[in-house]
Amino acid sequence: MNTTPVKNNAHRHRFELDTEGKLSIVNYQTVDDETLALVHTEVDESLEGQGVGSHLVEGVLQYVEQNNLKIVAACPFISTYIKRHPDWNRVVSTAYTSTGF
């Protein structure tokens, strides 16, 4: 299991996870001072099906919660993850929709 921490690369507007030298990312856009729109998730093809994407999203959501932020789940992968883990709805913004940010 990957225990590498997910890092916020604010300069590139993305969260990053290094797995065996391969970078997985979640791109985001800043909606307002307290909200990030998570717009795209990308995992290296060689790592697909190994739980890397879930570990990445979990790390992003933990970062969001620890920093008192909210998210807009504009990325289908993240939207699906939250549907499967409804306890994370606590960090989903109610002020914006996935298409209206």
Side-chain angles (χ1 to χ4, degrees):
M1 178 65 195
N2 189 336
T3 56
T4 308
V6 173
K7 296 180 181 141
N8 179 12
N9 183 338
H11 182 70
R12 292 182 173 245
H13 301 282
R14 69 186 188 190
F15 292 94
E16 301 175 339
L17 174 64
D18 187 307
T19 307
E20 300 165 9
K22 297 179 176 87
L23 198 62
S24 300
I25 60 167
V26 172
N27 290 323
Y28 65 84
Q29 296 172 6
T30 304
V31 179
D32 61 31
D33 290 343
E34 301 170 350
T35 313
L36 299 178
L38 306 179
V39 295
H40 179 70
T41 303
E42 199 170 299
V43 174
D44 191 277
E45 284 181 20
S46 67
L47 300 172
E48 287 180 6
Q50 298 178 35
V52 173
S54 293
H55 178 71
L56 173 61
V57 172
E58 186 80 15
V60 170
L61 296 176
Q62 288 172 358
Y63 175 93
V64 164
E65 186 167 61
Q66 289 163 0
N67 289 276
N68 297 314
L69 300 170
K70 295 290 185 187
I71 64 154
V72 177
C75 166
F77 184 84
I78 291 171
S79 184
T80 299
Y81 183 91
I82 291 171
K83 282 185 183 126
R84 290 182 180 153
H85 302 88
D87 51 315
W88 280 114
N89 276 310
R90 66 186 182 266
V91 300
V92 176
S93 171
T94 55
Y96 302 96
T97 64
S98 61
T99 55
F101 59 90

